[in-house]
Amino acid sequence: MFLIMLAILAVQAIVVILFARFGVFNFMGRDYKASVIMAGIVGFCLGSRTNALSSMNEIGRQYGKCEDAMSLISLIVTLIVDFVNPFVITLAINIVA
């Protein structure tokens, strides 16, 4: 069971990193703001809102703040978690039941 969970975690991490690098980074313009947004996406996909914001804060602390990226990721993550997630959970419960 442990090895299965470890394999799922490894696949999730690889897929998220590839999506962020080749999807998000290229789509957002391949610049500094895109790299900060990419860090936020990786933090959110592998953890939570706080992971996304702390990843972006750490990059901002080392290389300079990017307020546009912080605002964008905060808004998008809040919309996804707070507004879309209850509908997805309800749909999943209805499918299972």
Side-chain angles (χ1 to χ4, degrees):
M1 186 66 162
F2 172 73
L3 291 177
I4 294 171
M5 291 176 61
L6 190 61
I8 290 171
L9 180 63
V11 169
Q12 178 187 4
I14 290 168
V15 168
V16 166
I17 290 170
L18 290 174
F19 168 72
R21 170 58 183 94
F22 295 109
V24 174
F25 185 69
N26 290 337
F27 182 73
M28 295 306 293
R30 301 178 63 122
D31 58 357
Y32 177 67
K33 183 169 41 172
S35 64
V36 175
I37 291 172
M38 184 178 73
I41 294 293
V42 169
F44 177 66
C45 289
L46 295 179
S48 64
R49 254 186 289 203
T50 54
N51 287 1
L53 294 177
S54 44
S55 297
M56 293 168 55
N57 278 334
E58 186 61 27
I59 288 180
R61 188 182 65 77
Q62 290 182 6
Y63 301 108
K65 293 279 185 194
C66 186
E67 296 299 326
D68 295 342
M70 294 290 287
S71 301
L72 180 69
I73 291 296
S74 298
L75 178 67
I76 299 287
V77 168
T78 300
L79 286 174
I80 289 172
V81 171
D82 293 341
F83 296 120
V84 175
N85 209 17
F87 295 111
V88 172
I89 292 171
T90 304
L91 178 68
I93 289 172
N94 289 333
I95 289 173
V96 171

